[in-house]
Amino acid sequence: MSDNVAHALSGAGGGIVAMSLTYPLVSISSRLQVQRGGDGKDEYKNTADAFFKILAKEGPKGLYAGLSSGIFGIAITNGVYYYCYEAVKSVFEKAKAKGNPMSTGESMLAGALAGSAVVLATHPIWTVNTRLTVRKGVEGKGENALSVASGILKKEGLAGLYSGVGAALVLVINPIIQYTVFEQLKNKIAKMKTLSNLDFFLLGAVSKLAATGLTYPYIVVKSRMQVSQKDDERYTSIMDGFRKILAKEGVAGLYGGLKSKIVQSVLTAAFLFMAKEVLFDWAVWVLVVIGARKRLAAAGKA
């Protein structure tokens, strides 16, 4: 068996660790993204204001709304992504001379294929998670991921679960940028020294900073399309979303919640890459123990 499964398991585990540590920032950035301007007393002015208002009205639970669906979603997302990415990566590397890493173009293609697979497989999970996360106060009190998903299917059909999937597919460029920057920097640093956990933490942070900074307006449009919208506010397409946001809120509307999203994304990616590297060896060990990697075990005994 190849290392694809080990990468998938360690990626899923790393995602769960990262999501658990940074979820309050996920919640805040999601609410800021779908907020459509306005000066009402319930509107969030910035990250700190959102944090204190959520605590005051909803308590700590408000910061963790939708956590279970978020953890489930990130585990599936990372598991599928890493499995597909490593599978494509192994194909490229087998076709090249031994020891030669992927080129930038190959890294981008691997990221595009893996990212597209992830979007199609997990978009409904993130639609449900977004709707759970952005609820305020007692809205939808007592609802869980299953009841929200059921409600979407009844009112909007399967299309409702895939609201904003077009923007999500465009956002495949986000992990492409992230993993391309990560792989290229990692390969350069690896030539100079052995990478430590801190190096993986910093590489994850830098690569995600580049990716999120370049794609943020699409993230805002996608989040708004995933939330149930009134007819006069509904975005019929990505470009329609851009036009309406620019017309009503200006350029600032495309960057609502940017600060909290940057902090959350950078920390999540940093924790993810560090945790994944730690968990990878454990994943390989578990697969050997359960007999899923008999060939590797046999090679180790020889």
Side-chain angles (χ1 to χ4, degrees):
M1 181 183 289
S2 69
D3 285 339
N4 298 354
V5 175
H7 279 291
L9 291 174
S10 59
I16 290 171
V17 171
M19 179 67 78
S20 300
L21 291 172
T22 63
Y23 197 78
L25 285 169
V26 174
S27 182
I28 289 170
S29 63
S30 294
R31 295 196 188 197
L32 287 168
Q33 286 164 12
V34 302
Q35 183 171 269
R36 298 170 183 268
D39 299 314
K41 63 178 183 178
D42 291 330
E43 299 293 318
Y44 305 134
K45 297 180 177 64
N46 51 47
T47 302
D49 184 57
F51 177 79
F52 288 114
K53 282 182 177 177
I54 293 170
L55 275 182
K57 292 187 176 181
E58 305 166 46
K61 283 186 177 181
L63 294 170
Y64 289 90
L67 175 62
S68 59
S69 63
I71 287 179
F72 177 71
I74 200 67
I76 300 298
T77 294
N78 283 2
V80 173
Y81 188 91
Y82 277 107
Y83 185 88
C84 294
Y85 184 85
E86 293 298 329
V88 176
K89 179 180 176 181
S90 66
V91 171
F92 282 131
E93 291 182 342
K94 284 179 182 177
K96 304 175 76 165
K98 190 174 181 180
N100 286 341
M102 288 193 297
S103 66
T104 301
E106 289 168 341
S107 292
M108 292 177 74
L109 179 57
L113 294 173
S116 297
V118 165
V119 168
L120 296 175
T122 67
H123 192 78
I125 299 172
W126 293 115
T127 297
V128 170
N129 175 257
T130 298
R131 298 200 186 187
L132 282 168
T133 303
V134 301
R135 294 177 309 177
K136 295 184 179 181
V138 296
E139 289 180 29
K141 191 173 181 180
E143 285 189 321
N144 55 36
L146 288 176
S147 63
V148 170
S150 177
I152 294 172
L153 282 172
K154 287 179 181 177
K155 293 179 180 179
E156 306 167 48
L158 186 61
L161 289 173
Y162 278 90
S163 298
V165 70
L169 284 169
V170 172
L171 280 168
V172 165
I173 196 173
N174 185 294
I176 291 175
I177 296 170
Q178 177 184 352
Y179 287 97
T180 299
V181 171
F182 178 84
E183 287 286 344
Q184 299 307 312
L185 289 177
K186 183 185 76 172
N187 291 337
K188 288 182 180 180
I189 296 173
K191 293 177 181 177
M192 298 181 282
K193 65 169 188 173
T194 300
L195 278 76
S196 66
N197 287 339
L198 178 60
D199 290 321
F200 282 108
F201 182 92
L202 294 174
L203 284 170
V206 170
S207 60
K208 192 62 178 180
L209 178 63
T212 302
L214 290 170
T215 62
Y216 193 75
Y218 279 97
I219 295 174
V220 171
V221 173
K222 177 184 72 72
S223 294
R224 294 193 181 188
M225 291 180 79
Q226 286 178 307
V227 175
S228 182
Q229 303 175 75
K230 298 176 183 177
D231 289 339
D232 59 333
E233 296 178 340
R234 188 177 299 278
Y235 303 152
T236 57
S237 65
I238 299 171
M239 293 311 299
D240 182 55
F242 276 117
R243 283 194 295 270
K244 286 180 177 176
I245 292 172
L246 287 171
K248 293 182 178 179
E249 304 165 50
V251 176
L254 292 173
Y255 290 92
L258 175 62
K259 292 179 182 178
S260 59
K261 183 62 178 179
I262 288 286
V263 174
Q264 176 262 316
S265 294
V266 168
L267 286 177
T268 298
F271 285 125
L272 165 62
F273 282 112
M274 185 174 70
K276 179 183 178 294
E277 292 305 314
V278 173
L279 292 171
F280 179 75
D281 290 336
W282 284 94
V284 170
W285 180 81
V286 169
L287 290 172
V288 170
V289 168
I290 64 176
R293 290 176 58 92
K294 291 180 181 177
R295 283 185 293 172
L296 178 62
K301 291 177 182 178

